[in-house]
Amino acid sequence: MKSPWTSRRPRLSADGVAVVRRAAGMCLRYPDRALFDRLPLIRAALAETGAHPPVSAVAEFAEHLAGLEPLRAEEHYVAVFDVRNRRSLHLTWWTDGDTRRRGFSLAAIKARYRAHGLTPPGRDELPDYLPVVLEYATLEREDGTELLQEHRAGLELLRFALVKAVTPYARLLEAVCGTLPGASPGTPEEAARMARRPIGGGPELVGLDTIGLPSSLPFAITGGLK
């Protein structure tokens, strides 16, 4: 399947990228009542952002979710994001798998948050959980983009896994990858090769075999997502 962002695409503004990431992060959380209550706000913010492929992808998912019964949405979420099905939302799972090295990677991400004056999430949420990382990327846009790009291979592999699972959640990963520099790989095999080719000289990836991020900074993004 060819990615819609492998060719030329309209450029999103910095604020537009932030809205896409914030909205996608919200939608990637467990679909509880709080998320359903926020859907009108999410949809309104996306509508104000303009016509761009990543914006449209998140808007389509939000519209889909709004039409579901909450119980059905919860059941689908649990079925989709199951590590046994190789569709984890935790980024270090893709880089480190279930190895001892993963603990060091998680600690490094926590240190990164603290270095920017942010408090890492508590025990109930790991710092590499994609919705948390996307929220960080709206607060610290430059370093957040760098962190996402460092995990680009895992994001792309997750995108292809969700496409294969025939789930609307694939649209959210398409949108997230569409906010990153460079073209997305066009096939799972290209994504796998990206995983074996470390980004920035880091270790080879081995994972192949918050709303809720407390912050000391005010949180406000153009479009009304708070």
Side-chain angles (χ1 to χ4, degrees):
M1 176 179 177
K2 186 176 180 180
S3 167
W5 291 287
T6 54
S7 59
R8 290 186 302 172
R9 58 180 184 266
R11 289 183 63 85
L12 268 174
S13 67
D15 283 342
V17 168
V19 170
V20 168
R21 291 176 179 174
R22 177 66 167 159
M26 289 179 174
C27 289
L28 282 165
R29 287 185 172 275
Y30 186 79
D32 56 13
R33 175 50 55 188
L35 176 54
F36 273 90
D37 289 345
R38 286 178 179 266
L39 284 177
L41 177 64
I42 292 171
R43 296 172 73 180
L46 291 166
E48 295 174 5
T49 305
H52 299 274
V55 178
S56 298
V58 182
E60 288 172 13
F61 176 86
E63 182 178 0
H64 164 79
L65 184 60
L68 292 180
E69 291 293 328
L71 180 59
R72 183 179 176 187
E74 293 171 3
E75 291 174 344
H76 182 69
Y77 185 92
V78 171
V80 168
F81 296 112
D82 185 335
V83 172
R84 291 174 298 179
N85 293 328
R86 306 181 76 78
R87 296 191 289 263
S88 177
L89 284 171
H90 291 91
L91 298 183
T92 62
W93 182 86
W94 294 93
T95 57
D96 301 319
D98 293 322
T99 65
R100 183 178 299 179
R101 189 172 71 184
R102 187 178 179 195
F104 293 100
S105 298
L106 291 170
I109 295 175
K110 283 185 177 182
R112 200 165 185 157
Y113 295 162
R114 292 192 182 98
H116 287 86
L118 304 175
T119 302
R123 294 182 178 180
D124 294 337
E125 207 163 62
L126 293 175
D128 67 335
Y129 182 45
L130 182 54
V132 172
V133 176
L134 288 170
E135 184 171 359
Y136 173 68
T138 66
L139 293 167
E140 295 293 336
R141 298 182 187 183
E142 183 175 347
D143 192 59
T145 296
E146 184 176 333
L147 179 57
L148 288 167
Q149 190 71 350
E150 288 171 9
H151 290 272
R152 180 70 176 269
L155 290 170
E156 299 287 3
L157 288 167
L158 175 58
R159 175 174 66 88
F160 280 114
L162 294 175
V163 169
K164 183 178 181 180
V166 193
T167 170
Y169 280 102
R171 296 292 279 151
L172 298 179
L173 267 293
E174 289 173 5
V176 170
C177 293
T179 68
L180 295 173
S184 287
T187 66
E189 291 73 24
E190 289 178 16
R193 286 195 292 272
M194 178 187 289
R196 299 187 186 99
R197 185 175 64 251
I199 299 173
E204 180 176 334
L205 305 188
V206 300
L208 296 179
D209 299 312
T210 162
I211 310 162
L213 178 64
S215 173
S216 58
L217 301 176
F219 189 85
I221 292 179
T222 299
L225 289 181
K226 298 182 178 180

